[in-house]
């Protein structure tokens, strides 16, 4: 029993640390999972409890006299008066802290990030998904090897399993992992995919396209436009580096707005103008928006918290 308790405690510790882990810690975590089947089993139990807690509706406990809310504070449930052991307690703490999981039909649940608030989630199989701001992702409690990107941008670090490939749906596109780190961005009906490591297979309609490290593709209106990208720039949004290849400026503005919460409006026909290049961002609007305007040959002005960009020939008044 003591050995089981030690393993569960370690699984909880790994689960709680994952938002802040370094690359070296991720490597240590993977080695811990692979060292003993009991480790992976314990971690799966912790992650599953986390998801089950997210879907549960908790009744508000009766407060004791010394738990009465302070003036000006809303009444809410607290851990005092609740007895929860091991993984369940950890799951309660995680879900209470994030407040980002919502239930959906058929055993699925939605993870959503507000504009300007990126986040990382880890699935029961060890797959890690880094989410940009303004992203909406649907996951499945019963099948951690499937996900659906409804909008936004994610970078996936998939734990490869030949017997159970990981599949991401994005609109009518299915993206199947063949052992990989890759980035997917969905804006409107357009999906952009770029591969940093390994390979993925795209399956739009009846087509089958295999992409390897350094490959990129834009899928929209039933067409696939392929291009190349430096593998170390894939998922560069996590470092403030956003690369584009003939992407409409409306899509560029949408991705920047999601990541940093900037309110960008493109006037006239600027939104449809294609842009190729890399934009280095700091996350500070007063610096980034004028820099972006100079880069695309546009003018800019502020309207409250919003920024309006226009081509030089149609400067807004």
């Amino acid at each position: 029993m003591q050995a089981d308790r030690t393993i569960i405690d370690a699984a909880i510790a790994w689960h709680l640390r994952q938002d802040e882990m370094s690359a070296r810690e991720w490597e240590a975590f993977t080695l811990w999972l692979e060292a003993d089947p009991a480790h992976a089993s314990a971690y799966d139990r912790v992650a599953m409890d986390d998801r089950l807690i997210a879907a549960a509706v908790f009744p508000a406990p009766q407060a004791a006299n010394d738990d009465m809310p302070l003036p000006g504070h809303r009444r809410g449930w607290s851990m005092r008066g609740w007895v929860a052991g091991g993984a369940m307690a950890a799951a309660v703490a995680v879900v209470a802290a994030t407040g980002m999981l919502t239930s959906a039909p058929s055993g699925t649940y939605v993870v959503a990030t507000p504009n300007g608030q990126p986040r990382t989630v880890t699935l029961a199989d060890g797959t890690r998904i880094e989410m940009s701001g303004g992203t909406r992702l649907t996951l499945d409690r019963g099948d951690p090897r499937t996900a659906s990107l409804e909008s936004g941008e994610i970078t996936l670090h998939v734990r490869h399993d030949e017997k159970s490939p990981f599949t991401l749906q994005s609109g009518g596109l299915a993206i199947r992992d063949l052992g990989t780190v890759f980035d997917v961005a969905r804006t409107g009906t357009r999906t952009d995919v770029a591969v940093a490591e390994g390979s993925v297979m795209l399956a739009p309609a009846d087509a089958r396209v295999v992409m390897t490290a350094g490959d990129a593709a834009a899928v929209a209106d039933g067409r696939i436009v392929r291009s190349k990208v430096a593998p170390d720039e894939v998922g560069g949004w996590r470092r403030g580096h956003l690369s584009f290849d003939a992407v409409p400026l409306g899509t560029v503005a949408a991705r920047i707005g999601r990541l940093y919460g900037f309110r960008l409006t493109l006037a006239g026909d600027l939104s449809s103008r294609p842009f190729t290049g890399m934009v280095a961002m700091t996350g500070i609007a007063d610096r980034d928006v004028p820099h972006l305007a100079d880069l695309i040959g546009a003018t800019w002005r502020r309207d409250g918290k919003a920024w309006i960009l226009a081509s030089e020939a149609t400067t807004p008044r």
Side-chain angles (χ1 to χ4, degrees):
M1 284 297 293
Q2 182 58 39
D4 291 344
R5 179 69 265 168
T6 300
I7 292 173
I8 287 291
D9 288 345
I12 293 171
W14 282 117
H15 190 71
L16 292 174
R17 291 167 54 197
Q18 296 204 347
D19 281 354
E20 305 296 334
M21 290 202 307
S22 65
R24 180 169 295 183
E25 288 172 320
W26 274 106
E27 181 179 355
F29 171 56
T30 301
L31 292 174
W32 180 81
L33 285 174
E34 296 175 347
D36 188 329
H39 293 179
S41 177
Y43 183 82
D44 287 347
R45 288 168 57 192
V46 170
M48 181 61 72
D49 285 340
D50 188 351
R51 293 196 297 272
L52 291 176
I53 289 291
V57 177
F58 291 96
Q62 295 297 319
N65 290 337
D66 60 348
D67 284 334
M68 293 300 290
L70 297 174
H73 287 233
R74 293 190 300 172
R75 181 188 302 272
W77 69 273
S78 73
M79 287 300 292
R80 296 187 64 178
W82 284 81
V83 179
M88 190 65 74
V92 169
V94 170
V95 175
T98 61
M100 63 181 291
L101 303 181
T102 59
S103 298
S106 305
T108 60
Y109 60 104
V110 175
V111 184
T113 57
N115 285 348
Q117 297 184 33
R119 188 161 190 86
T120 300
V121 296
T122 303
L123 307 186
D125 67 342
T127 293
R128 179 165 52 104
I129 304 177
E130 296 180 84
M131 303 173 62
S132 179
T135 296
R136 186 174 176 88
L137 186 67
T138 299
L139 303 171
D140 192 327
R141 296 183 182 87
D143 184 3
R145 302 297 290 176
T146 62
S148 177
L149 177 64
E150 300 178 32
S151 60
E153 183 166 8
I154 57 177
T155 298
L156 300 96
H157 307 255
V158 176
R159 187 179 185 192
H160 186 57
D161 183 346
E162 291 184 0
K163 297 180 180 179
S164 179
F166 184 93
T167 300
L168 176 74
Q169 296 285 338
S170 181
L173 179 68
I175 306 167
R176 176 164 291 186
D177 158 63
L178 303 177
T180 249
V181 175
F182 61 105
D183 189 87
V184 182
R186 182 164 176 80
T187 305
T189 60
R190 174 184 172 124
T191 299
D192 291 275
V193 182
V195 181
E197 299 177 12
S199 58
V200 300
M201 181 177 69
L202 305 186
D206 296 328
R208 295 291 185 273
V209 177
V210 175
M211 299 172 59
T212 58
D215 286 341
V219 184
D221 302 322
R223 296 177 62 245
I224 301 176
V225 178
R226 302 189 65 171
S227 58
K228 290 292 184 179
V229 63
D232 59 359
E233 287 299 332
V234 174
W237 59 267
R238 297 168 295 165
R239 305 181 301 276
H241 295 172
L242 290 86
S243 297
F244 303 96
D245 185 5
V247 174
L249 282 171
T251 300
V252 174
R255 289 174 65 177
I256 292 173
R258 287 196 304 256
L259 178 57
Y260 294 113
F262 298 169
R263 293 171 55 186
L264 299 175
T265 299
L266 304 185
D269 62 353
L270 191 62
S271 181
S272 60
R273 183 191 300 175
F275 173 76
T276 297
M278 189 187 78
V279 183
M281 310 290 288
T282 66
I284 302 172
D286 289 339
R287 297 180 183 177
D288 291 342
V289 177
H291 171 64
L292 175 64
D294 289 342
L295 195 61
I296 65 177
T299 60
W300 61 270
R301 70 180 176 91
R302 293 192 65 166
D303 184 4
K305 294 184 179 180
W307 297 80
I308 301 175
L309 280 68
S311 61
E312 294 179 347
T314 58
T315 302
R317 298 181 179 179

